[in-house]
Every structure is written in structure tokens, then in C-alpha cells.
Amino acid sequence: MSALPACPKCQSEYTYEDGALYVCPECAHEWSPQAAASSDEAAKVYRDSAGNVLQDGDTVTVIKDLKLKGSGGVIKMGTKVKGIRLVDSDHDIDCKIDGFGPMSLKSEFVKKV
Ligand SMILES: [Zn+2]
């Protein structure tokens, strides 16, 4: 039985130790045991406008008209966005919107479907 934790990214159980780091052979994720130990507190939780927890791959709708810088286009309220990807930045949702292409949104302007 292995004492090593599963990969926090892909849940692989084939974690191995490489010096001070844990390494996942399946997705190449590397992390430190210290970070893993406190991950419950440190992990960023992404919430939509209603306080629902968002996860990669979720489908959300836009809750207000969002003007696009530069192009002059507007993403209309109610636009459905499939397969979001959460990122650690000011605009914390990476996604693709039909008719607009790749886009970054703020989680406070969407609602989970
Ligand atoms: Zn992994």
C-alpha cells in the first residue's frame, strides 16, 4: 500500500517522489508534499454569481450583457457557455463562445446551469 497521495489534478494513484516533490506520471503534474498537506485551505474555490462552486467543464450562462473590448461586440445575457476552464487570474474563466471564439470571463458574471 502506498502512502503517497493521489495526484490532485487527475487523481492518478501512480504518484512517485522526486526529491522534495511528488510527481504524477500520467499528467506530469508536480507538487510539494507541504502544499498537498494544506491543500484544503489553499485550494482556490471558484464560485458563480449565485455562490455555486464551479468546476472545469461546467456549463454556465452569462448573467449580464458583457461588452467586448476592442471588437465592439456584446455577449448577451443568457448566452450559454459550455466546457469552461478555471484559471487563477482576474478573469478566472477560460472558455470558447460560439460566434466569438476564445474568451476570458469573470466568474461573478456567470451562473452555473
Ligand atoms: Zn496527474
Side-chain angles (χ1 to χ4, degrees), residues 83-100:
I84 63 168
R85 206 167 64 81
L86 298 162
V87 293
D88 192 5
S89 95
D90 178 35
H91 286 66
D92 45 15
I93 294 177
D94 266 1
C95 60
K96 233 178 185 174
I97 300 180
D98 290 344
F100 292 95

Side-chain angles (χ1 to χ4, degrees), residues 1-2 5 10 20 24 29 42 47 49 53 63-64 70 82 88 94:
M1 210 176 104
S2 170
C10 72
C24 170
H29 182 54
R47 293 181 189 278
S49 58
V53 175
I63 60 161
K64 58 173 269 186
K82 288 181 193 164
D88 192 5
D94 266 1

